[in-house]
Amino acid sequence: MPTQRQSPSARRFSGDPDPDDPLIGARLRYCLGQVEQRLVQALTSAGLTDIQTAHFKVLRFPPPENERPIDLAQRAGMSKQAMNYLLQQLEEMGYVQRVEMAGSLARLVSLTEKGWKVAEIQRATVHEIEREWALQIGAERFQTFYAVLKELTDG
């Protein structure tokens, strides 16, 4: 859900016919925010109360399986240092493990059994959200919406 500003900016977007429309990026972010909120609720209901939204940068699709921290950082659009901070937290909580590569100082990240439990809950929750959205806007419209998103992201 979008948050309303306490006071709108006096500065406007010159030539924009609807300067108060948040546009596609913000609307996608609002949808993602709804999904993340539901994921936290589902994980909390399952007793996994230590997962925070920031951890979804690691625990998102596709789940990490024998991946380098630098690759996870690039996929998440964050620094290697910030990713390592999240990985350390998740490792201490038992969701991921980092294993040294043979003959190298590099370590590969994978989910533990506890981490796979999170991935399963996340996937089931997102399927539930998709069903709810299909009911909300109609199955055909949702299928079209999903097909367009797929086309835009698979290319």
Side-chain angles (χ1 to χ4, degrees):
M1 286 278 164
T3 9
Q4 296 297 320
R5 298 176 105 178
Q6 289 184 336
S7 61
S9 172
R11 187 170 180 164
R12 306 309 287 168
F13 299 105
S14 176
D16 192 322
D18 188 2
D20 293 321
D21 183 15
L23 303 179
I24 193 76
R27 292 189 183 281
L28 289 170
R29 191 177 66 247
Y30 299 156
C31 288
L32 178 60
Q34 290 177 20
V35 170
E36 289 175 337
Q37 183 179 14
R38 287 283 297 280
L39 291 175
V40 169
Q41 290 169 350
L43 292 167
T44 299
S45 294
L48 303 169
T49 58
D50 50 357
I51 298 287
Q52 300 173 16
T53 305
H55 295 131
F56 295 149
K57 292 282 192 182
V58 177
L59 302 172
R60 66 179 174 186
F61 187 84
E65 193 63 25
N66 295 317
E67 293 192 61
R68 299 179 313 162
I70 188 68
D71 295 329
L72 293 173
Q74 289 172 346
R75 189 172 80 195
M78 58 194 313
S79 70
K80 183 180 174 188
Q81 292 81 3
M83 177 56 69
N84 278 323
Y85 178 77
L86 293 175
L87 289 172
Q88 180 181 349
Q89 288 180 333
L90 290 166
E91 189 172 33
E92 289 171 0
M93 294 184 291
Y95 295 104
V96 301
Q97 59 186 356
R98 292 186 278 185
V99 179
E100 287 185 21
M101 292 174 50
S104 171
L105 295 176
R107 300 192 316 163
L108 298 179
V109 178
S110 295
L111 294 181
T112 62
E113 284 302 313
K114 188 177 178 183
W116 278 107
K117 181 178 179 183
V118 169
E120 293 290 337
I121 291 168
Q122 288 176 308
R123 193 148 180 97
T125 301
V126 173
H127 277 304
E128 185 178 310
I129 292 166
E130 289 177 349
R131 285 189 295 274
E132 291 170 7
W133 287 0
L135 285 172
Q136 181 179 342
I137 67 171
E140 188 175 323
R141 284 181 69 209
F142 183 80
Q143 287 173 355
T144 301
F145 167 72
Y146 192 87
V148 170
L149 282 177
K150 190 172 181 339
E151 184 177 338
L152 290 171
T153 57
D154 286 353

